[in-house]
C-alpha cells in the first residue's frame, strides 16, 4: 500500500510540471476593473484647540488693531427747531409784589373833564370866510370854549371828537380847523328850506392848540331857538 501511494504522488508531479512551465512562459492577461466600493463614513470630530492671542498683539500684521483715541471734532451746525411741546400746567401763584409808587394827585380827574357844547345865539348868517361864533353855552367845562373868539383851546391833551349840527335854509360850507390847519370841509349845496346837516371827526389835540369852525362862500346857517345850530367837542382819550 505504501508503495502504491508513492507512485501516485510521482504521477501527479509529472502531470503538474508541464503546466507550471507553461504558466511561466506565457504572460497573464489583465482582468476587468472591479466595481467601486461604497463611500466611507465621516470621521469623528477632533478635540477643541486652545484659544489664540488677540489680533492687537500682532502689531504690524494684517489682523485688526485698536487705534489711539483721536481729537474731538469741530462743533456741527445747529439743528432745526423741533416741534413745540404741549403747554404745561399753570404754576403756583407767586408772592405779591410790593405796592407801587403813588400816582400824581388829581391827574386822572383832570383828564376826564374836557367837553363843551354851544349853540348859535343869533338867527343871522355868519360872516363870509370867518370864524363861526357860538354864544349860547349848553356845556363848557372849565370854559375851554371861548364864546368871544369862537375857539376851543385845549387844556387836556388827547384825542377829541368834534361835531356840529347846523339848521340851514340855504347852501352851507363849513371848514373845521386846528391852529389854521384845515382838517375837513363839510358842504351841503341843496336848496331845500329848513333842513339839518352835520359833520364831525376825531383828532388829536395838543395842549394850547385851538379848534374852530369857519364859513366859506356858502354860509346859510341859522340860529333860531326852534332850530339851533350846535358845535360840540369832548375828550375821548387823554394823551
Amino acid at each position: 500500500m505504501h508503495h502504491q501511494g508513492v507512485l501516485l504522488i510521482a504521477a501527479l508531479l509529472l502531470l503538474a510540471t508541464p503546466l507550471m512551465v507553461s504558466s511561466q512562459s506565457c504572460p497573464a492577461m489583465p482582468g476587468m476593473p472591479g466595481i467601486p466600493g461604497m463611500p466611507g463614513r465621516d470621521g469623528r470630530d477632533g478635540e477643541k484647540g486652545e484659544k489664540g492671542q488677540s489680533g492687537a498683539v500682532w502689531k504690524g500684521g494684517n489682523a485688526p488693531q485698536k487705534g489711539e483715541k483721536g481729537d474731538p471734532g469741530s462743533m456741527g451746525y445747529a439743528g432745526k427747531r423741533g416741534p413745540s411741546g404741549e403747554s404745561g400746567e399753570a404754576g403756583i401763584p407767586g408772592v405779591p409784589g410790593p405796592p407801587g409808587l403813588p400816582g400824581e394827585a388829581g391827574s386822572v380827574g383832570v383828564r376826564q373833564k374836557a367837553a363843551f357844547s354851544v349853540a348859535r345865539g343869533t338867527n343871522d348868517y355868519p360872516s363870509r370866510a370867518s370864524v363861526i361864533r357860538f354864544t349860547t353855552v349848553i356845556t363848557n367845562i372849565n370854559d375851554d370854549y371861548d364864546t368871544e373868539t369862537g375857539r376851543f383851546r385845549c387844556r387836556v391833551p388827547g384825542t377829541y371828537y368834534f361835531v356840529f349840527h347846523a339848521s340851514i335854509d340855504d347852501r352851507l360850507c363849513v371848514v373845521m380847523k386846528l391852529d389854521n390847519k384845515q382838517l375837513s370841509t363839510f358842504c351841503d349845496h341843496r336848496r331845500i328850506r329848513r333842513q339839518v346837516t352835520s359833520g364831525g371827526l376825531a383828532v388829536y389835540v395838543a395842549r394850547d392848540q385851538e379848534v374852530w369852525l369857519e364859513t366859506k362862500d356858502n354860509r346859510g346857517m341859522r340860529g333860531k331857538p326852534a332850530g339851533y345850530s350846535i358845535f360840540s367837542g369832548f375828550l375821548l382819550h387823554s394823551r
Side-chain angles (χ1 to χ4, degrees):
M1 291 293 293
H2 179 74
H3 180 73
Q4 291 177 353
V6 172
L7 292 175
L8 179 60
I9 293 170
L12 291 174
L13 289 174
L14 290 173
L15 293 172
T17 299
L19 293 173
M20 292 179 61
V21 172
S22 175
S23 63
Q24 291 177 357
S25 61
C26 295
M29 295 296 291
M32 295 295 291
I35 299 173
M38 297 296 291
R41 293 181 298 175
D42 294 339
R44 292 178 297 174
D45 295 337
E47 296 181 359
K48 186 176 181 180
E50 297 181 359
K51 183 178 181 180
Q53 294 180 332
S54 173
V57 175
W58 304 96
K59 295 182 179 180
N62 295 325
Q65 301 180 26
K66 183 178 180 180
E68 298 180 358
K69 184 176 181 180
D71 297 330
S74 57
M75 182 177 294
Y77 295 103
K80 295 182 179 180
R81 181 177 180 180
S84 300
E86 298 180 359
S87 301
E89 298 180 357
I92 302 174
V95 180
L101 298 175
E104 297 180 3
S107 59
V108 174
V110 172
R111 291 175 183 171
Q112 292 179 345
K113 295 180 179 180
F116 72 91
S117 187
V118 290
R120 288 270 292 160
T122 176
N123 198 37
D124 297 332
Y125 290 163
S127 301
R128 181 179 287 107
S130 64
V131 178
I132 304 174
R133 292 177 58 236
F134 296 83
T135 58
T136 301
V137 174
I138 300 173
T139 300
N140 193 13
I141 298 176
N142 293 320
D143 295 328
D144 290 338
Y145 181 84
D146 190 343
T147 57
E148 294 296 326
T149 63
R151 303 185 182 201
F152 165 79
R153 179 178 288 273
C154 178
R155 175 179 46 85
V156 182
T159 302
Y160 285 79
Y161 186 75
F162 298 98
V163 61
F164 77 92
H165 299 272
S167 177
I168 63 175
D169 58 9
D170 200 352
R171 296 173 182 176
L172 175 67
C173 273
V174 174
V175 181
M176 187 176 294
K177 286 191 173 182
L178 170 64
D179 278 358
N180 283 320
K181 176 184 177 182
Q182 180 174 313
L183 297 177
S184 182
T185 301
F186 307 92
C187 293
D188 193 329
H189 297 293
R190 294 174 294 177
R191 286 183 174 273
I192 301 176
R193 297 184 63 84
R194 299 189 183 278
Q195 66 176 5
V196 175
T197 187
S198 63
L201 54 82
V203 61
Y204 178 82
V205 185
R207 185 179 181 85
D208 293 329
Q209 284 188 313
E210 293 183 331
V211 177
W212 67 88
L213 298 179
E214 280 188 8
T215 60
K216 296 183 77 174
D217 291 337
N218 299 317
R219 51 193 178 89
M221 180 184 292
R222 291 294 190 182
K224 296 179 180 179
Y228 273 149
S229 296
I230 298 174
F231 181 36
S232 302
F234 53 89
L235 178 66
L236 291 175
H237 190 274
S238 59
R239 288 290 178 186

